[in-house]
Amino acid sequence: MNRPLIVLCLLVSLLTCDTNVRYVHLALTGDPTEMIVGWYTEDSTINSIVRYGISSGNLAFTQNGTVNSWKEDYGYNHFVILTDLSPNTKYYYTCGDLTGGFSQVLSFTTAPLQSRPFVVGIYGDMGIDNSQNTIKRVISD
């Protein structure tokens, strides 16, 4: 008598499972109408997809990319180049695929057409010991 409830809970659990997408990052290409979206998955996925648009509720565009693995059993790196973007425009996006799931909706703003100086902060932390204070030190400098 309890079996239908258990099956239903299992089905809901499978449909709402956590995404496999981790470490989402962006890269400029030098062209203000492009952006590279990258991410990592522990497991192989069928596709590398970015859904994007100018409204978080309407990700009307889709672009496919590539996946590679730099060492066996160390996960997969996914890269998608978004092209024909409008300069100086905020875009919303999610990345992943149907088998591994998609990331939460994130955003970026494309570069303006006219170049202007900007500052880049580069940060890396192994997270082994006392890492919680590293970002505080970087921001304060």
Side-chain angles (χ1 to χ4, degrees):
M1 188 158 197
N2 290 336
R3 289 184 187 188
L5 180 59
I6 292 171
V7 170
L8 178 60
C9 289
L10 178 60
L11 179 61
V12 170
S13 171
L14 290 172
L15 293 175
T16 59
C17 66
D18 288 343
T19 181
N20 189 28
V21 174
R22 297 189 189 341
Y23 316 125
V24 178
H25 55 280
L26 300 171
L28 299 170
T29 68
D31 181 336
T33 67
E34 295 180 347
M35 183 67 75
I36 298 173
V37 180
W39 67 95
Y40 167 86
T41 58
E42 290 182 13
D43 302 314
S44 179
T45 59
I46 294 172
N47 297 302
S48 301
I49 300 170
V50 173
R51 296 175 178 159
Y52 63 102
I54 56 173
S55 166
S56 62
N58 184 18
L59 305 178
F61 307 104
T62 300
Q63 185 67 45
N64 292 303
T66 61
V67 61
N68 63 51
S69 179
W70 62 275
K71 188 173 181 183
E72 188 174 339
D73 296 327
Y74 278 84
Y76 300 85
N77 297 300
H78 303 261
F79 299 98
V80 176
I81 301 174
L82 305 181
T83 59
D84 299 320
L85 302 173
S86 298
N88 203 31
T89 302
K90 186 170 187 174
Y91 283 89
Y92 296 88
Y93 70 99
T94 184
C95 55
D97 90 329
L98 294 175
T99 60
F102 283 86
S103 70
Q104 65 184 6
V105 176
L106 304 163
S107 66
F108 64 85
T109 301
T110 52
L113 277 178
Q114 296 290 350
S115 297
R116 64 179 186 240
F118 60 91
V119 176
V120 175
I122 299 175
Y123 161 73
D125 189 339
M126 295 294 290
I128 296 171
D129 186 31
N130 199 23
S131 64
Q132 66 273 14
N133 293 321
T134 304
I135 192 66
K136 292 176 189 172
R137 286 192 301 265
V138 169
I139 291 172
S140 70
D141 289 344

